[in-house]
């Protein structure tokens, strides 16, 4: 009989360090409205957004993901040689092949480790956190670097009132590893593919290729190639969120065996300030519980949104390491993922 060596998993897992990267370019509502038919007041009233960050110069998804991951490593104090896997949660990596995580791992001096992309829209960080924690509990890795990174503006139609004012770019990362006390509850997650078209890429790659051929005169009846863009039915998403997410939050509390009165901080995906307020109210969280509002100056950064919001709260003192936080990501799919977590220490190397 062959003897198989098995890594021993760890029952208790936590986020040990956090890092982030915010692109240099700050874009105001007024600048967006130079192209978009809207106003600063209208955008803020309906979304809670005043500014957002857009990549510029030599900033790319690859570079900002690596920068956030590097900061998370340094802030955690964990030697990179102990990292067994890197998960890149993103929906805006520009190629299906090669996927992004191996390149990012190489860029931060960890070439050779297990590295894979996880695409689950705005719920990507929550999905990634669940996968990372379960990998460590199963013994597949001792430590995992989870990075949520997006360059949403690459695929935006600047004239689309449903998306152009909402999305921004950025990256946030956490080191997940064993701890004395458990700091990551079981993940509550789900999806609603019946209504998946509420958030979607407007044309697929095959149709885009056909349109490109038409531009070369091969099929003059086909529409001009244009660009692939993200489209969203905001009201449909809002209605889905209002019904689905409060139940998900309640289930997360039940599975973690934590009462809502024990929650110190609420960090929802930064999709819309109105949705965040509605979730907090429907869940019955106390008014004095701090709630992330990174959307005001960062916008909706999809899979990067929760770690960016978490980092902002820790840096500004709105939250403190060791506190109990309720997380929930949601969006394309339509999908969601949430956990009750213990917050990592405030970063010694913040992103701002």
């Amino acid at each position: 009989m062959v003897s198989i060596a098995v890594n021993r998993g760890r029952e208790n897992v936590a986020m040990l360090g956090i890092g982030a990267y915010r692109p240099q370019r700050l874009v105001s509502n007024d600048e967006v409205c130079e192209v978009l038919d809207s106003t600063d007041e209208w955008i803020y009233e309906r979304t809670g957004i005043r500014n957002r960050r857009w990549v510029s110069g030599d900033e790319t998804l690859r570079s900002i993901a690596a920068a956030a991951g590097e900061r998370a490593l340094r802030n955690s104090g964990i030697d990179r040689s102990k990292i067994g896997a890197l998960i890149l949660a993103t929906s805006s990596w520009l190629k299906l092949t090669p996927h992004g995580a191996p390149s990012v791992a190489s860029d931060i001096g960890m070439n050779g480790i297990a590295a894979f992309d996880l695409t689950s829209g705005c719920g990507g960080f929550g999905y990634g956190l669940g996968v990372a924690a379960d990998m460590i509990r199963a013994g597949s890795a001792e430590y995992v670097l989870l990075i949520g990174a997006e360059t949403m503006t690459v695929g935006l139609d600047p004239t689309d009132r449903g998306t152009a004012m909402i999305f921004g770019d950025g990256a946030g990362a956490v080191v997940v590893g064993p701890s004395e006390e458990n700091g990551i509850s079981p993940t509550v997650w789900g999806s609603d593919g019946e209504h998946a078209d509420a958030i979607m890429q407007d044309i697929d790659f095959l149709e885009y290729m056909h349109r490109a051929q038409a531009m070369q005169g091969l099929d003059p009846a086909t529409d001009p190639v244009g660009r692939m863009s993200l489209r969203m039915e905001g009201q449909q998403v809002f209605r889905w969120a209002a019904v689905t997410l409060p139940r998900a939050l309640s289930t997360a509390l039940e599975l973690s065996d934590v009462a809502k009165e024990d929650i110190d901080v609420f960090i929802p995906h930064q999709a819309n300030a109105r949705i965040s307020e509605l979730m907090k109210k429907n869940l019955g969280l106390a008014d004095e519980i701090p709630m992330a509002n990174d959307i005001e100056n960062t916008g909706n950064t999809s899979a990067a949104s929760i770690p960016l919001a978490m980092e902002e709260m820790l840096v500004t003192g709105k939250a403190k390491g060791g506190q109990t936080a309720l997380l929930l990501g949601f969006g394309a799919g339509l999908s969601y993922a949430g956990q009750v977590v213990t917050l990592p220490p405030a970063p010694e190397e913040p992103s701002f």
Side-chain angles (χ1 to χ4, degrees), residues 250-267:
S250 296
T251 304
L253 292 174
E254 292 172 9
L255 284 181
S256 66
D257 199 25
V258 172
K260 64 183 179 183
E261 292 78 14
D262 296 325
I263 296 297
D264 299 311
V265 183
F266 182 36
I267 308 179

Side-chain angles (χ1 to χ4, degrees), residues 87-91 116-121 123-125 127-129 131 146 303:
I87 301 173
L88 177 63
T90 185
S91 297
F116 60 93
D117 293 6
L118 189 156
T119 301
S120 188
F125 181 82
Y127 271 74
L129 190 60
V131 171
L146 167 63

Side-chain angles (χ1 to χ4, degrees), residues 59-310:
E59 293 172 327
T60 64
L61 177 56
R62 179 172 174 172
S63 71
I64 68 175
E70 184 68 43
R71 284 175 174 166
L73 285 168
R74 290 200 290 263
N75 288 326
S76 73
I78 302 300
D79 191 282
R80 70 192 64 223
S81 65
K82 294 184 177 181
I83 304 295
L86 185 151
I87 301 173
L88 177 63
T90 185
S91 297
S92 48
W93 187 261
L94 294 179
K95 294 181 179 179
L96 293 177
T97 305
H99 57 292
S103 297
V104 174
S106 177
D107 290 347
I108 54 182
M110 299 190 300
N111 192 46
I113 68 170
F116 60 93
D117 293 6
L118 189 156
T119 301
S120 188
C122 300
F125 181 82
Y127 271 74
L129 190 60
V131 171
D134 288 348
M135 287 175 66
I136 296 167
R137 291 186 178 114
S140 299
E142 185 178 8
Y143 295 90
V144 175
L145 177 60
L146 167 63
I147 305 173
E150 302 282 13
T151 49
M152 299 298 293
T153 56
V154 172
L156 281 187
D157 176 353
T159 66
D160 179 12
R161 288 173 62 87
T163 59
M165 69 185 74
I166 297 172
F167 291 102
D169 304 329
V174 293
V175 173
V176 183
S179 60
E180 292 186 4
E181 296 184 359
N182 190 49
I184 302 175
S185 76
T187 301
V188 173
W189 43 13
S191 65
D192 179 9
E194 184 178 351
H195 299 98
D197 287 352
I199 305 174
M200 65 179 296
Q201 179 180 307
D202 56 359
I203 58 174
D204 62 35
F205 291 106
L206 185 61
E207 182 180 354
Y208 188 80
M209 181 183 70
H210 289 162
R211 292 189 183 187
Q213 292 173 339
M215 291 292 287
Q216 300 171 10
L218 300 179
D219 185 4
T222 306
D223 293 335
V225 62
R227 62 186 295 179
M228 287 182 287
S229 297
L230 181 68
R231 306 295 180 189
M232 182 168 65
E233 296 294 335
Q235 288 301 315
Q236 185 177 352
V237 174
F238 190 95
R239 289 192 296 270
W240 171 79
V243 172
T244 305
L245 302 185
R247 292 201 300 263
L249 290 168
S250 296
T251 304
L253 292 174
E254 292 172 9
L255 284 181
S256 66
D257 199 25
V258 172
K260 64 183 179 183
E261 292 78 14
D262 296 325
I263 296 297
D264 299 311
V265 183
F266 182 36
I267 308 179
H269 162 54
Q270 302 295 282
N272 183 298
R274 295 168 62 195
I275 293 178
S276 297
E277 291 288 352
L278 182 64
M279 284 193 292
K280 184 178 180 182
K281 178 181 178 181
N282 287 348
L283 190 60
L285 294 177
D287 291 341
E288 62 268 19
I289 291 179
M291 181 176 69
N293 190 39
D294 194 47
I295 191 171
E296 183 171 351
N297 289 301
T298 305
N300 179 341
T301 54
S302 192
S305 135
I306 287 179
L308 281 169
M310 190 187 312

